Amino acid sequence: MRLLQIFVPRGDRELVLETLEAEGIEYAVTEETGPGGFEALVSIPITPAGVEPTLERLHEAGMGEEAYTVVVAAETIVSERADSLADRFSGTRISREELRSRAVELAPASSTYFSLLVLSTIIATAGLLLDSTATIIGAMVVAPLMGPALAASVGVIVDDDSLAARGVRLQVVGLLTSVMTAAVMGYLLRGTVLLPPAFDITTVPAIQERITPGFLALFLALGSGAAGVISLTRGVGSVLVGVAIAVALIPPAATVGLGIAWGHPEVVLTAGTLVLINMLSINLTALLLLWLSGYRPHRSAGIERAYGRLRSRVAVLLFVIVLLSVVLVGVTYGTYQTASVEHDATVELESMSDDPAFGDLEFREVSIDYELYDVYTGSKPVITVLVERPPGAVEPPDFAETVRGRLESATGEEVTVVVELVDTRRA
């Protein structure tokens, strides 16, 4: 429930009260004798969904812009009349005025925003290097990225240029700050005793996850944006939703920074694509859901302007997302191809161990050198096979060629095979 309090300017008292009575809205009036030029304080108990239509009626009736309007969240209202009030103004959507205020609050002061962002990036970068999922998630609690992502969309919808510009600016500069923080941290840590010798970031599972993004990653960003709008308009789960949005942005941004520090352009490309798609998708979803939820600018003249800006932004966002999605589709296909080759080769080697044609030879281990970029450069998979040869066992003629033929038939790819024969003795 809400308590709507209106400081009525001198000369507007009768207008306000007549409008409320005509709408059948209950109120209480307190005489105002302060120096602000107000003659009355009107208090109205109302549901969250009733705040916006009530204010619209008052403004349509001619209530001046100099009036102060205060919306207070009421913890509890005890009255038999509350049920009828809820029936009249049903719904869970907050008013346009509350929406804008919450969006402003979610975009903190620059000093606070960047301080928390740098700390979050440092923690997330450490979590990536340590392959610690718990550390990465912990960093997300600190990251303040939910506010700017939603403030930009709210600014467009309610025709507030300064709020929209600030939201966009905080997102862009914030992500660049995150990338540079991770790059500096990676550069300082590279080659120190804190990391193993010849440490390769591309072998860390947590980093591999961000440099091989599949098309399904798009749904994470879309879902995060939708959850952010629901959280903002209904006031639920803001902390958890903030974590979801941060998960979509901070770890891949930190991965880009590590790619810069280690000089891996492919890491920068794939993780950078993931960051951009996530950021744009969150903004796209927020814009569309806010408009479909019925939010509009206060003045009718601003509706057409806001609608025009909405269309142009949605068109640009969709175009860029589709363009970047080509990279995701390519990564998805390449990842599928490498996984398919590895799976088919492993299965075939297991069957070869049971094949009488190879006698007592046992295929014990296999390593496959076939990376994502090999799929598009035309490089052949290199499959290394470790074969145990018991005493007295003899490999068939042209053994390596036979193994290569079997593996090519199983994988459907031309492969290079390295066979390592190991004489074994068991006691």
Side-chain angles (χ1 to χ4, degrees):
M1 294 292 291
R2 299 290 187 269
L3 180 62
L4 181 60
Q5 294 184 314
I6 302 173
F7 291 76
V8 182
R10 297 191 186 279
D12 285 352
R13 172 175 173 165
E14 293 304 320
L15 177 148
V16 170
L17 299 185
E18 288 175 2
T19 302
L20 294 175
E21 289 175 359
E23 294 294 325
I25 298 174
E26 297 181 335
Y27 62 89
V29 180
T30 304
E31 296 298 327
E32 175 59 52
T33 59
F38 303 108
E39 63 175 323
L41 173 62
V42 179
S43 300
I44 307 168
I46 198 80
T47 63
V51 173
E52 188 172 332
T54 300
L55 291 176
E56 287 179 351
R57 298 292 184 276
L58 292 171
H59 287 299
E60 289 171 0
M63 185 177 74
E65 293 293 333
E66 64 274 16
Y68 269 118
T69 301
V70 181
V71 181
V72 180
E75 293 292 337
T76 305
I77 291 183
V78 181
S79 175
E80 294 180 353
R81 302 178 183 182
D83 292 337
S84 61
L85 192 62
D87 292 337
R88 179 177 179 183
F89 298 107
S90 60
T92 57
R93 198 194 76 166
I94 63 174
S95 67
R96 174 183 56 246
E97 291 75 14
E98 284 188 82
L99 176 72
R100 184 188 175 282
S101 295
R102 288 188 180 184
V104 171
E105 291 175 358
L106 284 173
S110 297
S111 58
T112 302
Y113 175 74
F114 287 106
S115 296
L116 292 176
L117 189 64
V118 169
L119 290 174
S120 172
T121 303
I122 291 174
I123 299 171
T125 303
L128 288 170
L129 294 174
L130 294 172
D131 190 28
S132 172
T133 302
T135 303
I136 296 173
I137 298 299
M140 302 307 96
V141 179
V142 182
L145 290 174
M146 177 180 174
L150 297 178
S153 299
V154 171
V156 173
I157 296 300
V158 301
D159 196 29
D160 187 333
D161 293 339
S162 62
L163 180 61
R166 185 165 186 268
V168 172
R169 184 171 60 253
L170 286 178
Q171 287 183 86
V172 174
V173 179
L175 287 178
L176 289 176
T177 301
S178 181
V179 170
M180 295 311 300
T181 299
V184 171
M185 183 175 175
Y187 180 79
L188 294 176
L189 291 176
R190 185 180 178 185
T192 67
V193 295
L194 298 177
L195 295 175
F199 179 75
D200 184 1
I201 60 172
T202 61
T203 62
V204 181
I207 296 177
Q208 282 184 332
E209 182 180 340
R210 274 82 192 182
I211 62 177
T212 56
F215 192 74
L216 290 176
L218 181 62
F219 293 94
L220 168 62
L222 294 174
S224 297
V229 170
I230 293 173
S231 170
L232 183 63
T233 58
R234 301 188 182 184
V236 293
S238 60
V239 174
L240 294 179
V241 174
V243 171
I245 291 178
V247 165
L249 296 176
I250 288 293
T255 302
V256 174
L258 291 175
I260 295 174
W262 262 263
H264 287 303
E266 70 278 6
V267 172
V268 176
L269 174 64
T270 52
T273 299
L274 181 59
V275 172
L276 291 177
I277 285 184
N278 286 348
M279 183 179 71
L280 297 176
S281 298
I282 289 170
N283 283 268
L284 174 65
T285 308
L287 281 170
L288 292 176
L289 285 184
L290 285 170
W291 188 266
L292 293 175
S293 297
Y295 289 106
R296 301 291 185 272
H298 173 60
R299 294 181 177 85
S300 58
I303 295 179
E304 283 299 321
R305 183 167 58 250
Y307 182 57
R309 291 177 179 176
L310 173 69
R311 287 186 302 176
S312 61
R313 292 204 179 200
V314 167
V316 171
L317 289 173
L318 278 175
F319 175 76
V320 178
I321 288 172
V322 170
L323 192 63
L324 293 174
S325 293
V326 174
V327 178
L328 286 187
V329 172
V331 172
T332 301
Y333 173 76
T335 302
Y336 172 80
Q337 286 294 100
T338 56
S340 178
V341 168
E342 182 175 353
H343 173 268
D344 293 341
T346 301
V347 171
E348 180 62 21
L349 288 171
E350 290 176 355
S351 67
M352 289 166 64
S353 293
D354 300 328
D355 193 334
F358 295 102
D360 294 332
L361 298 177
E362 296 187 23
F363 298 82
R364 288 296 183 188
E365 294 182 9
V366 58
S367 65
I368 301 176
D369 184 9
Y370 193 43
E371 302 297 334
L372 177 64
Y373 55 82
D374 293 328
V375 176
Y376 296 102
T377 59
S379 301
K380 296 180 181 180
V382 178
I383 303 177
T384 302
V385 183
L386 177 64
V387 182
E388 288 189 0
R389 182 170 52 189
V394 179
E395 68 274 11
D398 298 325
F399 179 55
E401 286 297 321
T402 302
V403 173
R404 184 178 65 84
R406 292 280 295 265
L407 291 176
E408 286 186 346
S409 177
T411 61
E413 299 281 343
E414 291 186 9
V415 301
T416 298
V417 174
V418 177
V419 177
E420 298 179 353
L421 285 166
V422 179
D423 291 322
T424 58
R425 299 286 190 275
R426 298 184 182 276

